[in-house]
Every structure is written in C-alpha cells, then in structure tokens.
Amino acid sequence: MSLLNLLRWLEPQNCLLCTARVAANVDFCPGCERSLPWSRWACPRCAAPDSVVDTLEAVCGECQKKPPAYAYARAPFRYAPPVDRLIQNLKYHGRLEFSRVLGKYLAGYLQNLNDPPPDVIVPVPLHTSRLRSRGYNQSLEIARTVSKYLALPLNWSDAERTRDTAPQTELPRDKRRKNVRGAFKSSVAFSGQRVAILDDVMTSGHTVNALAESLLRSEALEIRVWVVART
Ligand SMILES: [Zn+2]
Ligand SMILES: [Zn+2]
C-alpha cells in the first residue's frame, strides 16, 4: 500500500447516505445502517417481499400461477429508501463507487444463506446502445464485487441482450413480459452449469426470467437469481 493510499485509508470519511462522519472503511453511520430495508417474509421462490405464502404450496400466488424459469431468487433488501437512492445514483448519476457497497451487502447476505454455490455469475447484460450511453453496466459492476467476495467466476461476455427494450418501469404491468421476451441470447453453451443471474433490482421478474429461459436453452443446469433489491 502506498503512503497516499494509507493516508486515504486512515482518513475519516462521510456516511454514504448522510453527512455524518464515519471511521475509515465504514460505509454507513449507525442511524443509516439501522434504516436499511432488509427484506423479511419474502416468497422463497421469487423473493417478493411481504408475500402471503400459501403454507401448503410454500410459495406466493404469482409463483403458483406461473412458476418462474429460475429455481429461486435471493434479495437482501426491499426496493425502498435508502437503498433505492443508492441504486438510482449508481444507475443514473454515475456513482460507480456505490456498486462496491451494494455488492458487499449482497455478498454478505448470500454467505449467510449457505446455498450451494453456483458455478458462475452472469450479470444481466445491457443492450450495446444502452451500454454506450450509460458507459457501464451497473449489474456487472455489482457482480465484480460479489464475485471477488464469494470467489466465484464471472461471465459477462457470453450472454447478450439482442434487443434494446424499453425500461420495464416505464411500462404497464401487462406489457412487461412481452417487452423482454426473447431479448437475450448466449453466444456459447452453458452446458451443465449452475448459473447465478445478477441484477441490481428485480421488479416484475420478467427480465431475469427471460434471461433464465435463454440460459436454460443454452443448456444451463440450474438458474438462480441474485438481486440487491426486490419490489
Ligand atoms: Zn448516515
Ligand atoms: Zn413468489
């Protein structure tokens, strides 16, 4: 570590969410840390928070009506303040440094769950035109941190988005599934691999489901979904 880096490391800094001073290498002040919207009572299949889970089926009504292509989804947070602000800043205001803290929380949460590890992490790809205008893929940036913490390989080049779809949040619910259907393809086979799809936010789940379907067509063995926040 260089002297400059050492000084930077020792220097107190600000909480990522408010102006409170915190010790070096601490992300949030105690107040902000307590306000994080941890997801509880989520559906074990699709991770929808506050789900009413049928005790017999053990999954939410949506999953009973139309079981997703992926095996299960994991999300530490509800998409609520202040995590939604961190994600919006990462996505739309170039605050790339937030990918590290979001990835760290996601990795810590996953470590505690003790699921059998996947073979590879595949971040949800952006269409090249979206990537060009934004300059980076926020899901890939979060995935880099998760991959480092969990010591898992990252594959960000073999799945691609072939259509520039409208943002799901701008569409009415009934149009979302159709919007992303067939929007992904893989350039190589994922034969026998257990894949973790990683995204920043999961809303209706249609995007990750479309990618899961595409990876299963490419012979992936099992798909799970990892997201930072779930609506
Ligand atoms: Zn704070
Ligand atoms: Zn569900």
Side-chain angles (χ1 to χ4, degrees), residues 79 88 91-92 130 134 161 165-173 175-176 179-180 200-204 207 231:
Y79 189 64
Q88 285 159 14
K91 227 163 151 166
Y92 305 115
R130 185 77 55 87
R134 189 174 292 167
R161 202 167 190 134
T165 54
Q168 292 288 78
T169 44
E170 289 172 13
L171 294 172
R173 287 183 76 91
K175 296 276 190 300
R176 289 178 182 177
N179 182 42
V180 290
D200 52 346
V201 185
M202 179 170 169
T203 307
S204 63
T207 303
T231 60

Side-chain angles (χ1 to χ4, degrees), residues 170-196:
E170 289 172 13
L171 294 172
R173 287 183 76 91
D174 57 326
K175 296 276 190 300
R176 289 178 182 177
R177 186 186 298 274
K178 199 158 169 250
N179 182 42
V180 290
R181 191 184 288 152
F184 299 97
K185 82 165 205 278
S186 325
S187 52
V188 300
F190 280 78
S191 310
Q193 293 191 38
R194 289 163 305 163
V195 180

Side-chain angles (χ1 to χ4, degrees), residues 31 44 100 126 195 214:
R100 183 193 54 80
L126 289 182
V195 180
S214 146

Side-chain angles (χ1 to χ4, degrees), residues 15 17-18 20 29 32:
C15 166
L17 289 160
C18 72
C29 70
C32 289

